Amino acid sequence: MLILDRLLTGLHDACAAFPDKRKGAGDYSMADIGLSAFSLFFMQSESFLSYQRSLEEGRKTSNCHTLFGMAKIPTDNHIRSMLDPVHPSHLQSSFDQVIATLRARGGMKEFERLGGRALIALDGTEYFCSQKLGCPQCQTRKRSNGKTEFYHSMLAATLVAPGHNMVVPLMPEFIAKPDGAEKQDCERNAAKRWLAAHGGRMKELRPVYLGDDLFACQPICEAALANGADFLFTAKPDSHKTLYDFMNGATFDEVSQLRKEGGKKLTYRYRWFSEAPLRDGKDALSVNWIGLAISDAKGKTTYEGAFVTSLEVSRETVAEIAACARARWKIENESFNILKNNGYHLEHNFGHGKQNLAMLFAAMNLLAFAMHTVCDCLEDLWVKAREAKRSRKRFFEHIRTITAYLVFPDWWSLMTTLINSKPPPEIEKQIAG
Ligand SMILES: [Zn+2]
């Protein structure tokens, strides 16, 4: 499991460089403190550390030491207090390492579409919400019961591709209170900041940015183009009056395709129009428009969507471009659900902090998810172990259970145990003892 080991070593180094508010040497290194928190997200278990502390008491070692390379396990309180001042940007090198690893090892192939380009979906999402717990960084809103609700949101950027379920979260841009009065302004401003901060970093992936209707506006389209990237955003008629007025009555290029999907016969009808103004005014960006309508055998429309893009659209490319635009749904349906159902509660239960803790945990959660995907793409043993346990949920359930009782000398022996449903002899000795 060399690839995972290297990623964890990289993260160890990133955590070791976290700002340390202590004067003089403490009992625990910043690397141990950072890795402790990360291990909860990576193992998808809020009890991981407490189980490892018990193992350490009895056996003088734990999976924190063997799998994550930690020297000692700090207390939960110490972790919270030491990590609260740490801004999530300190994890950037680990996010970069994820992409570099995928590129170097051929894992990017899974994500390349439209002639070797990467699709990066931008999407606003809440990662924390509570009526009880808040911090000075929380956004707030009044609920109908009169109570104030505290929440945090972010602009997530995620590598996606049509045709499979894997996604790779990138470093998000966090949304703070002064970002705007309206949700829409907050997300747009965060998207602009994300593109300014990360657009250059992503350049070599030749990205095509995907996003919702609210991103299909001139400043964000221009910000995407600024780094040599392209955009492919949903564009609804109500929010793009000039565009739709311009196309009104025009003749569209059109192609229809019959497809069989899950026993159903579907008709995909693509229409496209080149060079229409995105908005009013002389300086309006010229965009290409694609409309897709899917109908079933009875002629009933089951899906309708429209997009604007800087990509050239032709009879040959229209279907693939539309499929890429629709791949954006993946992050809502799959990755965010997984993050919310598992990690979200984890963040809730592990504490909130007063400065950066909520953001740092959200970033660690995304990073853990990104590393899981690297393993899904590149670590054969991990893939076999996941297949052996069938669902993602069961895979992590097994990991949670066996690491609570047994110390595995390395990831290899943990994965081998999952694959064979039987631990290797040296681990058996622990059970006998
Ligand atoms: Zn907060």
Side-chain angles (χ1 to χ4, degrees):
M1 302 275 289
L2 215 59
I3 293 170
L4 176 59
D5 284 333
R6 285 203 185 130
L7 288 173
L8 291 173
T9 306
L11 178 62
H12 176 282
D13 297 347
C15 295
F18 279 177
D20 186 344
K21 63 178 180 177
R22 295 168 297 195
K23 299 199 173 57
D27 279 347
Y28 301 95
S29 67
M30 287 312 287
D32 282 352
I33 293 165
L35 284 168
S36 293
F38 177 81
S39 70
L40 298 170
F41 299 107
F42 193 85
M43 302 305 254
Q44 300 277 295
S45 162
E46 59 182 303
S47 320
F48 180 68
L49 292 176
S50 67
Y51 287 137
Q52 301 314 305
R53 286 185 198 108
S54 330
L55 283 174
E56 203 161 63
E57 267 174 34
R59 304 194 194 155
K60 306 291 171 229
T61 186
S62 77
N63 294 295
C64 282
H65 176 62
T66 55
L67 301 181
F68 290 93
M70 291 163 48
K72 287 198 281 186
I73 312 170
T75 62
D76 290 356
N77 269 333
H78 193 55
I79 295 169
R80 280 189 283 263
S81 115
M82 289 300 294
L83 291 184
D84 200 18
V86 179
H87 193 270
S89 57
H90 289 280
L91 293 172
Q92 185 63 53
S93 61
S94 277
F95 279 98
D96 292 345
Q97 199 188 355
V98 163
I99 297 296
T101 304
L102 286 171
R103 294 187 74 190
R105 307 263 174 174
M108 269 311 287
K109 275 202 298 281
E110 304 278 2
F111 294 95
E112 283 170 354
R113 297 292 185 276
L114 300 165
R117 307 193 62 170
L119 309 175
I120 298 176
L122 303 176
D123 219 325
T125 185
E126 277 180 29
Y127 61 90
F128 175 86
C129 174
S130 169
Q131 293 193 353
K132 290 185 193 131
L133 198 60
C135 76
Q137 318 304 325
C138 271
Q139 297 163 271
T140 54
R141 65 187 155 215
K142 275 260 186 277
R143 298 307 296 191
S144 51
N145 63 5
K147 281 193 178 161
T148 300
E149 193 163 81
F150 302 96
Y151 68 102
H152 285 249
S153 54
M154 64 183 171
L155 190 276
T158 317
L159 206 56
V160 296
H164 63 68
N165 294 339
M166 288 186 290
V167 301
V168 183
L170 307 172
M171 177 67 101
E173 178 66 35
F174 291 95
I175 296 174
K177 270 187 291 193
D179 278 343
E182 302 283 329
K183 184 172 174 285
Q184 183 160 304
D185 297 335
C186 291
E187 290 187 18
R188 279 183 180 157
N189 289 335
K192 280 185 234 163
R193 285 201 306 274
W194 192 93
L195 287 164
H198 303 279
R201 194 193 305 283
M202 293 297 145
K203 207 170 176 175
E204 285 183 40
L205 300 179
R206 299 167 57 229
V208 178
Y209 291 103
L210 313 178
D212 199 357
D213 183 77
L214 73 97
F215 297 123
C217 62
Q218 185 128 345
I220 295 187
C221 292
E222 282 177 341
L225 295 174
N227 284 294
D230 281 291
F231 60 82
L232 175 53
F233 296 140
T234 298
K236 292 176 185 162
D238 345 336
S239 44
H240 293 84
K241 209 172 165 321
T242 307
L243 171 75
Y244 281 86
D245 282 350
F246 185 87
M247 297 191 298
N248 193 14
T251 317
F252 291 81
D253 286 307
E254 192 176 325
V255 66
S256 286
Q257 293 176 357
L258 263 173
R259 285 194 213 163
K260 270 190 186 165
E261 273 171 31
K264 285 183 194 156
K265 276 187 198 161
L266 300 173
T267 305
Y268 280 65
R269 181 174 175 238
Y270 302 94
R271 294 187 306 148
W272 67 99
F273 187 94
S274 299
E275 297 191 28
L278 180 61
R279 68 172 185 194
D280 230 355
K282 280 196 188 120
D283 64 342
L285 202 63
S286 176
V287 297
N288 304 322
W289 178 91
I290 299 175
L292 166 62
I294 305 174
S295 51
D296 63 15
K298 288 178 185 153
K300 192 179 154 234
T301 303
T302 56
Y303 170 86
E304 220 170 354
F307 314 98
V308 286
T309 181
S310 51
L311 296 164
E312 211 175 300
V313 186
S314 69
R315 190 166 291 273
E316 288 70 38
T317 59
V318 69
E320 193 187 3
I321 295 174
C324 289
R326 296 182 72 208
R328 190 179 77 76
W329 292 108
K330 242 179 241 305
I331 57 172
E332 276 175 29
N333 294 345
E334 284 155 30
S335 90
F336 285 157
N337 280 343
I338 292 170
L339 291 173
K340 280 179 182 162
N341 294 340
N342 303 303
Y344 179 78
H345 293 294
L346 230 59
E347 285 160 27
H348 246 258
N349 297 341
F350 203 68
H352 195 69
K354 289 192 168 58
Q355 300 170 44
N356 298 311
L357 200 64
M359 285 193 289
L360 184 70
F361 283 170
M364 282 187 170
N365 199 356
L366 294 170
L367 180 62
F369 196 94
M371 287 196 195
H372 291 158
T373 303
V374 173
C375 293
D376 290 340
C377 289
L378 300 174
E379 285 283 21
D380 291 344
L381 269 184
W382 174 281
V383 173
K384 281 194 190 120
R386 275 203 58 173
E387 282 165 2
K389 299 301 167 218
R390 303 234 157 74
S391 73
R392 176 190 173 87
K393 203 171 150 227
R394 283 192 56 199
F395 172 73
F396 283 106
E397 268 167 20
H398 279 264
I399 290 186
R400 262 196 294 276
T401 314
I402 56 177
T403 56
Y405 299 103
L406 300 169
V407 179
F408 293 86
D410 47 35
W411 290 100
W412 179 89
S413 70
L414 174 56
M415 292 302 135
T416 311
T417 303
L418 289 175
I419 294 164
N420 302 330
S421 293
K422 182 179 160 43
E426 71 273 16
I427 309 286
E428 293 246 47
K429 274 188 217 143
Q430 290 181 34
I431 304 173

